């Protein structure tokens, strides 16, 4: 939705929106993780506002669990997905949209029959990048999950630094490397995904 809105913004508004999307790239992942703790903890900003307004009787457990990890990971990944989708949507020929409108297509039909099919390569490549990055997540789950939510990379770190099970860590690392290699090979071998990088118009 954000990438779709960026395509339809005026140039001045688009520059401001793109700046806001890229701001997280300039903030340390540690700072972002601790900022979410400040917002989501039991006596944090969000719970204090909800309890103070009477919406909740007791604060919610929003951090140091799976929910907190998901929030942190989504916040980290969103700029990547938005920029990849924006690059793909920007390459769609506007004359195709104009032709659909001139033929009487409604906005919903234009979105489902024109925008969505043409954006599938961008959606695929954004999903692939997010999966690959998620496999290597370590800092965000460690802080926001407090050791209760283990991702693959964090589990490998525990095997090396705590339990000293080097064989398990080596096996998991090798498996992770192979999975990432397969995903990259799938992307490199798919004409649709290559088109998303090359900016080819479909």
């Amino acid at each position: 939705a954000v990438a779709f809105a960026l395509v339809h913004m005026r140039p001045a508004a688009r520059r401001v929106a793109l700046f806001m999307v890229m701001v997280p790239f300039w903030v340390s992942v540690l700072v972002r993780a601790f900022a979410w703790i400040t917002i989501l903890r039991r006596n944090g900003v969000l719970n204090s506002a909800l309890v103070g307004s009477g919406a909740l009787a007791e604060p919610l457990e929003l951090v140091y669990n799976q929910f907190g990890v998901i929030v942190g990971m989504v916040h980290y990944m969103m700029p990547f997905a938005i920029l990849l989708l924006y690059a793909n949507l920007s390459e769609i020929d506007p004359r195709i949209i104009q032709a659909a409108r001139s033929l009487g297509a409604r906005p919903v039909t234009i979105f489902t029959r024109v925008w969505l099919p043409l954006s599938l390569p961008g959606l695929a490549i954004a999903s692939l990048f997010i999966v690959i990055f998620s496999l290597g997540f370590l800092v965000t789950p460690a802080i926001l999950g407090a050791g209760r939510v283990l991702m693959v990379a964090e589990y490998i770190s525990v095997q090396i630094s705590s339990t000293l099970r080097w064989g398990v860590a080596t096996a998991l690392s090798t498996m992770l490397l192979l999975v990432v290699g397969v995903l990259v090979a799938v992307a490199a071998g798919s004409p649709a995904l290559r088109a998303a990088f090359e900016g080819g118009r479909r």
Side-chain angles (χ1 to χ4, degrees), residues 109-189:
T109 304
I110 293 174
F111 179 80
T112 57
R113 301 293 296 274
V114 180
W115 281 107
L116 188 57
L118 293 177
S119 66
L120 287 179
L123 288 169
I125 200 67
S127 301
L128 180 66
F129 266 67
I130 289 173
V131 169
I132 292 175
F133 286 149
S134 297
L135 290 174
F137 255 77
L138 177 61
V139 176
T140 300
I143 295 176
L144 296 178
R148 301 173 186 173
V149 182
L150 287 179
M151 304 290 288
V152 176
E154 187 179 359
Y155 187 75
I156 293 173
S157 176
V158 170
Q159 301 307 309
I160 294 174
S161 60
S162 299
T163 62
L164 302 180
R165 298 169 64 186
W166 292 83
V168 175
T170 302
L172 289 174
S173 300
T174 304
M175 185 183 304
L176 185 61
L177 181 61
L178 289 175
V179 170
V180 172
V182 169
L183 292 175
V184 173
V186 169

Side-chain angles (χ1 to χ4, degrees), residues 99-111:
R101 289 173 180 166
S102 65
L103 292 173
R106 297 180 178 180
V108 175
T109 304
I110 293 174
F111 179 80

Side-chain angles (χ1 to χ4, degrees), residues 59-116:
L60 299 173
E61 296 291 342
L62 301 176
V63 74
Y64 305 132
N65 51 28
Q66 188 175 7
F67 178 81
V69 173
I70 291 174
V71 169
M73 291 179 65
V74 169
H75 178 237
Y76 185 88
M77 292 297 183
M78 279 294 289
F80 293 100
I82 291 172
L83 293 176
L84 288 169
L85 288 173
Y86 171 70
N88 175 247
L89 294 176
S90 299
E91 293 296 328
I92 297 177
D93 194 335
R95 292 174 296 182
I96 299 176
I97 311 302
Q98 294 172 2
R101 289 173 180 166
S102 65
L103 292 173
R106 297 180 178 180
V108 175
T109 304
I110 293 174
F111 179 80
T112 57
R113 301 293 296 274
V114 180
W115 281 107
L116 188 57

